[in-house]
Amino acid sequence: MAGTETPAPSLGIGDVAEQTGLSVHALRFYEREGLLVGPVRRTAGGRRRYSALDVEWLLVCVKLRESGMPLADLKQFAELVRHGPGNEAERLQLLEAHQRRVDAQIRALEECRSVITWKVGVYADHLARGQADGLWDPTA
């Protein structure tokens, strides 16, 4: 029929777990903790049904958590998004603070990598020359 729209497909919790890398348990936790931006729809039988937007939001959440965003900050971000337009400056402030933390972690990891690279070079050089005896030998 002309003018009728096909409803957007919805996904079950197992499909969403597969697409996001979150466990079914984690998805239930996210819902219980108010980390989603909208209510999860349910079938008449009570099964959760997720939209494409739910999955998109969860993928953002996964990256924010993987990058070390505290749960409290993620919850605050979700709450701001749920409230809709008008709080974008607060959202930006929250994201910028997290970005600064991630940038600091990256700098620290780069320093660690530099030390590791140096030590790998020392050991590789000594082993290549057959002179590895005594490298950090606590018995010497």
Side-chain angles (χ1 to χ4, degrees):
M1 289 170 44
T4 60
E5 293 182 28
T6 305
S10 63
L11 302 166
I13 197 166
D15 296 323
V16 174
E18 189 176 313
Q19 287 187 26
T20 62
L22 293 168
S23 68
V24 168
H25 176 75
L27 287 167
R28 290 183 184 127
F29 174 81
Y30 271 47
E31 182 181 358
R32 192 171 53 251
E33 290 297 313
L35 298 172
L36 301 175
V37 292
V40 175
R41 294 186 331 251
R42 304 273 181 150
T43 65
R47 293 186 175 267
R48 289 170 174 83
R49 300 305 295 176
Y50 296 85
S51 69
L53 287 175
D54 293 328
V55 173
E56 185 179 330
W57 172 257
L58 285 164
L59 289 171
V60 170
C61 289
V62 165
K63 290 304 176 191
L64 292 173
R65 287 293 293 147
E66 282 180 357
S67 63
M69 179 178 270
L71 216 42
D73 288 356
L74 184 55
K75 190 181 278 192
Q76 182 182 2
F77 186 56
E79 187 175 321
L80 290 168
V81 171
R82 265 193 307 276
H83 282 115
N87 59 28
E88 292 81 5
E90 292 173 79
R91 295 182 211 178
L92 177 61
Q93 187 176 25
L94 196 147
L95 290 170
E96 286 176 334
H98 182 60
Q99 184 176 30
R100 285 190 297 274
R101 286 190 303 269
V102 169
D103 288 343
Q105 290 172 334
I106 290 170
R107 284 190 300 276
L109 284 171
E110 286 173 342
E111 290 174 18
C112 293
R113 182 176 56 196
S114 176
V115 169
I116 294 166
T117 299
W118 168 68
K119 287 306 291 178
V120 164
V122 167
Y123 276 81
D125 181 56
H126 280 270
L127 287 170
R129 289 187 285 132
Q131 298 176 345
D133 292 345
L135 279 176
W136 286 52
D137 184 355
T139 62

